[in-house]
Amino acid sequence: MKITRILAYRVELPLHETTYKWSGGKSVTVFDSTVVRVETDAGFVGHGEVCPLGPFYLPAYAEGVRAGLRELGPHLIGEDPRQLAKLNRRMDAALKGHPYVKSGIDIACWDILGQATGMPVCELLGGRYGDDVHLYRAISQETPDAMAAKVAGYRAEGYHRFQLKVGGDPDVDIERIRAVAAKLQPGDRLVADANTGWVQHEAIRVAKAVRDIDVYIEQPCLTYEECLAVRRRIPHPFVLDENIDDLGILLRAKADLAMDVVNLKISKLGGLTKIRQARDLCVSMGIAMTLEDSWGGDIATAAIAHLAQSTPTEFLFTTTDFNSYVTVDIADGAPRRVNGRMAASKDPGLGIRPKMDVLGDPVVVVDR
Ligand code: MG
């Protein structure tokens, strides 16, 4: 089987809550997502999706996905989409770095492999654990009272895991954590995610001020070394995210005992092939994971669901359903949240059918 054509579509994904805000005053109102379509000479067609959290979160931006596909695509025409390790080596040889550019192609090729073998992607990724997976809800950065007021509504939607966006003024963040923690019920989990927003001394101050609260602290500072210094001085369970973008740093973090949980995002690692390597390594090393992506709609959520449900349950700290945050449906067959949980499709591949009328005309077409 050979890849004959690679196309990309640009789609805008507005938010039900109109704006998503996190550390340092960063915010997004409309997500700019790219759907990648890989066509083959055997009639199989696969899809992937890449949606950076704006251009100021990770070293990735939406137009960069499309520019990267124009650069990389011609090197992949004629390659077998089912031979995923070989295909990834080809991508890495043709374009140094830029993992987020490669992610959509890799996801689309897993979709093709699933269709060609008649198997859901989650079974190809190692096997299906349980009937479904539990989801966390991110709470956009607002005043402490406004954030606390969101908890009851999210719990009514079935969520029991809440990820607070902090990383702002440390004194206000202390109030944010206290206000939301006061709304928790038995069985709930709370994560305070600073998204690199605190300086080292601020992170230690915040953590010491909430020392009595059952809360995880996620990625307090910009660099790995700053996070490690904080980790060594606070009592809370600790999550690394933005710094962990390849196997080298993951292994170093394990050796340093730098985290209890790691947040792995599909496009941050470069696709399902690479995140599976990291995921399997974490299982072997005893590190639980939040498995997700930087953002996305139905297709990204489908890929997340297959990855999450193919992870041994005790190692899946949490995952997320980005398609429930946005107002536009781009595919049929995508997971839908039920009681704060979602399940990967049992159909072959990702189990999604893109809505071509919503995607419109392609903005990238590579056929040779
Ligand atoms: Mg995070």
Side-chain angles (χ1 to χ4, degrees):
M1 190 187 302
K2 287 185 167 62
I3 295 173
T4 53
R5 208 156 71 124
I6 297 171
L7 302 94
Y9 303 82
R10 177 178 182 274
V11 59
E12 293 193 346
L13 302 174
L15 286 156
H16 286 294
E17 294 187 358
T18 67
T19 308
Y20 180 74
K21 300 178 198 151
W22 69 102
S23 73
K26 294 187 277 293
S27 70
V28 170
T29 50
V30 178
F31 283 94
D32 180 344
S33 194
T34 301
V35 173
V36 181
R37 176 183 174 95
V38 174
E39 299 178 351
T40 66
D41 62 355
F44 294 109
V45 176
H47 295 88
E49 183 182 2
V50 183
C51 184
L53 184 55
F56 32 57
Y57 172 59
L58 293 171
Y61 68 107
E63 194 54 49
V65 180
R66 275 97 65 174
L69 290 169
R70 290 185 194 98
E71 176 71 30
L72 181 59
H75 298 276
L76 307 177
I77 303 302
E79 295 291 319
D80 188 333
R82 301 166 302 178
Q83 299 186 27
L84 279 144
K86 192 177 169 198
L87 184 82
N88 272 267
R89 283 181 66 85
R90 181 85 189 108
M91 289 199 284
D92 288 341
L95 178 67
K96 189 96 174 164
H98 299 276
Y100 69 109
V101 168
K102 299 162 185 171
S103 186
I105 294 172
D106 180 76
I107 295 167
C109 291
W110 276 94
D111 189 20
I112 290 169
L113 177 63
Q115 294 171 46
T117 56
M119 292 175 71
V121 168
C122 89
E123 295 177 21
L124 292 170
L125 287 172
R128 183 186 301 269
Y129 290 88
D131 295 327
D132 52 20
V133 293
H134 54 213
L135 301 162
Y136 81 80
R137 174 73 203 200
I139 303 182
S140 178
Q141 191 174 109
E142 307 280 350
T143 64
D145 287 347
M147 293 173 85
K150 292 274 178 63
V151 173
Y154 294 148
R155 188 184 290 105
E157 294 175 330
Y159 292 107
H160 293 281
R161 302 189 170 213
F162 306 99
Q163 192 200 70
L164 276 187
K165 290 296 162 188
V166 289
D169 179 307
D171 292 306
V172 180
D173 284 336
I174 292 165
E175 293 310 309
R176 288 182 172 115
I177 295 167
R178 289 205 168 277
V180 173
K183 303 288 184 185
L184 297 184
Q185 295 180 357
D188 291 349
R189 296 276 183 280
L190 181 62
V191 176
D193 187 357
N195 289 109
T196 76
W198 292 323
V199 179
Q200 197 172 308
H201 68 96
E202 296 174 333
I204 292 169
R205 255 196 75 227
V206 172
K208 292 201 165 173
V210 299
R211 139 192 340 263
D212 58 315
I213 292 178
D214 178 8
V215 58
Y216 293 68
I217 301 293
E218 179 161 337
Q219 189 75 37
C221 303
L222 187 61
T223 69
Y224 173 80
E225 288 76 13
E226 289 159 353
C227 288
L228 182 59
V230 172
R231 148 72 162 180
R232 286 176 170 163
R233 292 181 57 188
I234 69 172
H236 303 85
F238 199 81
V239 188
L240 282 175
D241 180 349
E242 283 86 339
N243 293 141
I244 307 297
D245 55 6
D246 69 16
L247 292 181
I249 190 71
L250 180 63
L251 288 166
R252 182 177 165 201
K254 170 61 179 175
D256 289 341
L257 307 179
M259 68 210 164
D260 303 293
V261 176
V262 65
N263 183 317
L264 299 176
K265 296 180 164 71
I266 298 172
S267 61
K268 181 177 68 173
L269 275 292
L272 287 170
T273 302
K274 289 189 172 165
I275 203 170
R276 180 181 66 162
Q277 260 190 311
R279 186 274 309 270
D280 291 347
L281 192 55
C282 283
V283 171
S284 298
M285 298 191 305
I287 302 289
M289 291 157 277
T290 291
L291 295 171
E292 57 169 346
D293 210 329
S294 48
W295 206 274
D298 287 318
I299 300 172
T301 302
I304 292 167
H306 285 283
L307 175 70
Q309 209 172 341
S310 63
T311 301
T313 306
E314 65 272 32
F315 287 100
L316 182 64
F317 178 61
T318 192
T319 186
T320 196
D321 59 326
F322 286 121
N323 63 346
S324 80
Y325 290 62
V326 300
T327 63
V328 175
D329 292 346
I330 61 170
D332 293 315
R336 296 288 164 207
R337 184 187 67 237
V338 178
N339 272 333
R341 306 180 72 90
M342 71 175 175
S345 172
K346 292 181 175 169
D347 290 343
L350 292 177
I352 56 94
R353 295 167 301 284
K355 297 183 171 184
M356 299 313 293
D357 56 324
V358 176
L359 299 185
D361 293 327
V363 293
V364 176
V365 179
V366 177
D367 53 13
R368 65 192 179 87

